[in-house]
Amino acid sequence: MIKKKPTIDDVATLSGVARTTVSRVINDGPNVRPSVRRRVMEAIDQLGYRVNVQARNLATGNSRQIVLIHESNLEAEPNSYYHSGLELGALTGCAEHGYQLTTQAVDYAAGGWRERIMSFIESGRCDGLILPPPFSDEPGLVRAIMAADCPVVCISAGEAVRGIAPSIGIDDETAGYDMARYLIALGHRRMAYVKGLEGHISAEGRHAGFVRALAEAGIDPASSIAARGNFTFRSGIECTEQILAGRTGVTVIVCANDDMAAGAMLVCHKHGLAIPGDISVVGFDDTPLSDIMWPPLTTVHQPIKEIARRAADLLVKQIENGGAAEAARHEFVGHRIIERQSAAAPSKLAGILSIAPESRID
């Protein structure tokens, strides 16, 4: 015989409460005493009850659909892991709460991105938005989303947005500072820095922390060489070529993400520079790529998946609370330096090797 699946009424009967109370417990609703909540959860476990998500959606009229926006020019080289890491983390968080996740690529450099994002809300198929940079750096966009009564949580938001909507991320300025302090302790004094996208607040924060550490150590920040990348592997190649063309005593190249660091390492290898014997290279994010390149990359660990999972948790809490906006506060998650073989104390020969112009990578 086929055993009948337990229903919400079975849970109510076993726990000795009303059906509506069971529903509030399942949906993490308010006004349920801890003792009652515990009794209902024990009944759910004993019966092996599982929520019928489709039935619940039909009953509430809620699509249970969360949209993750990420910046992407589909014609350009993608970031190898950051966006997929966010998607994996958000997907985990959504699945835990019975929500569906949709990802939407929006080109920040093109016109009409604000209208496109707002169209997701107006379609009625979006219960909430997760906004990573650079969209989380746009106070006007966030205000428009909230004015449309759409719950939103921002990832790695700038100061202006942190005062408007809930957000989560690492302390990028402190992370950049910590990396610089680590390199200074190794003995590096002449450094190059490959920046991220101009105006990208998280990336700018990393560089600001780097500069602060140099100043505190009595190193003139103007002595460091800066090049502007865009987070892609290709921009890491191009910026490193620029840095090595001058070759003014640089002993370490600091990159604002791991993809650009991989490009920097390729250029160093092509020019016959030993890493870290002739020059050190460090990155940021601790993506899976950083542990499989050669030599393995010293980098800053940013828990990308955990940040996105937590963002989904915060967003679902808003939605289940009737869409009421959470207090505008930023939740910091921890970062740490991951020491691998791409960085070491500078040797006496580091920074003085010359690069022939004809050997450059075009």
Side-chain angles (χ1 to χ4, degrees):
M1 294 180 61
I2 299 175
K3 187 177 180 181
K4 178 177 175 289
K5 291 183 178 180
T7 67
I8 191 171
D9 293 313
D10 295 328
V11 175
T13 299
L14 182 59
S15 56
V17 300
R19 191 178 194 273
T20 54
T21 301
V22 176
S23 179
R24 284 201 297 271
V25 171
I26 291 171
N27 291 287
D28 198 24
N31 304 320
V32 180
R33 295 195 306 274
S35 60
V36 173
R37 189 180 299 276
R38 184 169 55 253
R39 198 160 71 242
V40 171
M41 294 307 297
E42 288 173 353
I44 287 172
D45 290 341
Q46 182 177 337
L47 293 170
Y49 173 73
R50 294 292 180 269
V51 177
N52 186 326
V53 175
Q54 290 182 328
R56 181 169 65 178
N57 292 349
L58 288 172
T60 63
N62 190 336
S63 68
R64 302 185 73 81
Q65 188 84 19
I66 286 174
V67 176
L68 168 66
I69 305 293
H70 65 84
E71 198 285 325
S72 180
N73 178 349
L74 298 180
E75 301 300 320
E77 173 190 341
N79 182 300
S80 67
Y81 179 76
Y82 182 76
H83 295 312
S84 59
L86 288 178
E87 184 173 351
L88 287 169
L91 185 62
T92 299
C94 288
E96 289 173 352
H97 297 286
Y99 279 72
Q100 300 294 318
L101 179 72
T102 298
T103 60
Q104 294 289 342
V106 178
D107 187 355
Y108 185 74
W113 54 264
R114 185 191 300 266
E115 291 74 14
R116 186 174 178 200
I117 291 173
M118 295 305 297
S119 72
F120 300 138
I121 300 170
E122 295 163 1
S123 71
R125 297 190 299 273
C126 170
D127 295 311
L129 286 177
I130 298 175
L131 285 184
F135 303 109
S136 60
D137 296 333
E138 295 287 344
L141 171 65
V142 175
R143 287 193 182 96
I145 292 170
M146 297 180 74
D149 294 324
C150 180
V152 60
V153 173
C154 297
I155 291 176
S156 302
E159 289 290 341
V161 170
R162 291 180 193 177
I164 302 171
S167 59
I168 183 169
I170 68 169
D171 186 335
D172 287 283
E173 199 274 348
T174 299
Y177 175 88
D178 290 344
M179 176 56 84
R181 292 293 301 173
Y182 166 76
L183 295 170
I184 291 167
L186 286 178
H188 293 279
R189 295 296 182 270
R190 184 65 169 157
M191 309 185 203
Y193 196 103
V194 180
K195 297 181 177 182
L197 283 168
E198 187 171 6
H200 191 293
I201 292 179
S202 294
E204 297 299 305
R206 296 170 193 177
H207 184 251
F210 171 81
V211 169
R212 177 167 69 92
L214 295 187
E216 284 186 7
I219 302 170
D220 182 3
S223 67
S224 66
I225 301 172
R228 176 67 69 183
N230 63 4
F231 293 127
T232 64
F233 176 78
R234 187 68 196 178
S235 72
I237 291 175
E238 293 168 350
C239 290
T240 303
E241 288 287 12
Q242 297 171 20
I243 291 165
L244 294 184
R247 202 58 180 151
T248 52
V250 169
T251 61
V252 59
I253 300 175
V254 183
C255 299
N257 79 340
D258 292 345
D259 280 16
M260 294 192 297
M265 291 176 71
L266 173 64
V267 173
C268 292
H269 288 316
K270 287 285 187 178
H271 290 314
L273 298 177
I275 303 173
D278 295 323
I279 192 167
S280 293
V281 178
V282 299
F284 205 109
D285 284 340
D286 191 28
T287 63
L289 173 70
S290 64
D291 200 26
I292 60 175
M293 64 178 73
W294 185 256
L297 183 68
T298 292
T299 185
V300 175
H301 175 71
Q302 177 178 208
I304 299 170
K305 290 192 291 186
E306 176 57 25
I307 288 171
R309 187 199 64 77
R310 180 61 183 146
D313 288 344
L314 293 173
L315 190 57
V316 168
K317 184 178 179 182
Q318 282 191 63
I319 296 168
E320 299 288 352
N321 197 30
E326 289 286 304
R329 66 181 182 86
H330 183 76
E331 183 176 316
F332 284 106
V333 296
H335 67 271
R336 65 183 188 277
I337 304 292
I338 303 297
E339 298 182 51
R340 298 195 180 99
Q341 291 97 311
S342 71
S347 71
K348 292 181 179 180
L349 292 177
I352 63 173
L353 301 177
S354 62
I355 302 299
E358 60 270 18
S359 70
R360 295 178 62 190
I361 300 173
D362 295 325

